Amino acid sequence: MKCPICGAGNKPDKHDDCPRQDGCPLYDVRALVEKSGLAKLVLDGQTYTLRITRAGKLILTK
């Protein structure tokens, strides 16, 4: 099965072996938000909310 994120042959939640040219981390947002469609992210003590809209877009709010 090809990865829907990077196109490699890995499972959708395993990207350790996916070829990435820029070397930055790759995350499956749907795995982060699970069924709720929301994820809380913390940066320097500030909490942000990441959500997927009905149109499939991402919104990050403080």
Side-chain angles (χ1 to χ4, degrees):
M1 176 174 152
K2 284 194 172 192
C3 172
I5 294 174
C6 67
N10 295 327
K11 293 181 181 179
D13 59 343
K14 303 292 181 192
H15 299 283
D16 295 337
D17 298 328
C18 292
R20 287 179 255 163
Q21 308 220 342
D22 58 6
C24 71
L26 178 66
Y27 301 97
D28 180 353
V29 174
R30 294 202 184 274
L32 287 175
V33 301
E34 298 177 346
K35 291 182 181 182
S36 70
L38 296 170
K40 298 290 183 178
L41 307 172
V42 178
L43 175 66
D44 297 333
Q46 297 289 319
T47 301
Y48 297 82
T49 301
L50 178 69
R51 74 178 177 93
I52 301 174
T53 67
R54 289 184 197 139
K57 310 275 183 178
L58 290 176
I59 295 180
L60 181 65
T61 56
K62 191 170 183 183

